[in-house]
Amino acid sequence: SSGWTPLFVALHHQQFKSAAVLLEKGADPNIRSDQGMSAMDMARVQGAPKELEDLMVAKTHGRVYQP
């Protein structure tokens, strides 16, 4: 087991719209993989757009993202 959530898989495959939907539906960006990688780490490695990173930060701090 890698500890990858659906959010990790979406980010790994650069499915950024899917990742945003998962976050809006309650995916937890705070969960880390078995290797200690955060969802934000994965997003940055895969070149996620700033808007998605902003959404992840907002969800991490319990705020509702307002574009």
Side-chain angles (χ1 to χ4, degrees):
S1 167
S2 65
W4 281 21
T5 64
L7 178 59
F8 271 86
V9 174
L11 292 168
H12 178 73
H13 291 285
Q14 299 178 338
Q15 298 296 315
F16 302 128
K17 288 182 182 179
S18 297
V21 169
L22 289 167
L23 288 163
E24 290 294 345
K25 297 294 183 181
D28 186 350
N30 295 308
I31 295 173
R32 292 186 175 268
S33 70
D34 291 350
Q35 296 77 29
M37 180 178 261
S38 71
M40 182 63 82
D41 295 332
M42 179 66 77
R44 289 183 175 146
V45 166
Q46 296 301 330
K50 183 179 181 326
E51 294 80 14
L52 183 60
E53 289 188 23
D54 290 346
L55 176 59
M56 292 174 71
V57 168
K59 294 294 182 178
T60 298
H61 293 100
R63 298 191 322 264
V64 176
Y65 179 66
Q66 300 288 331

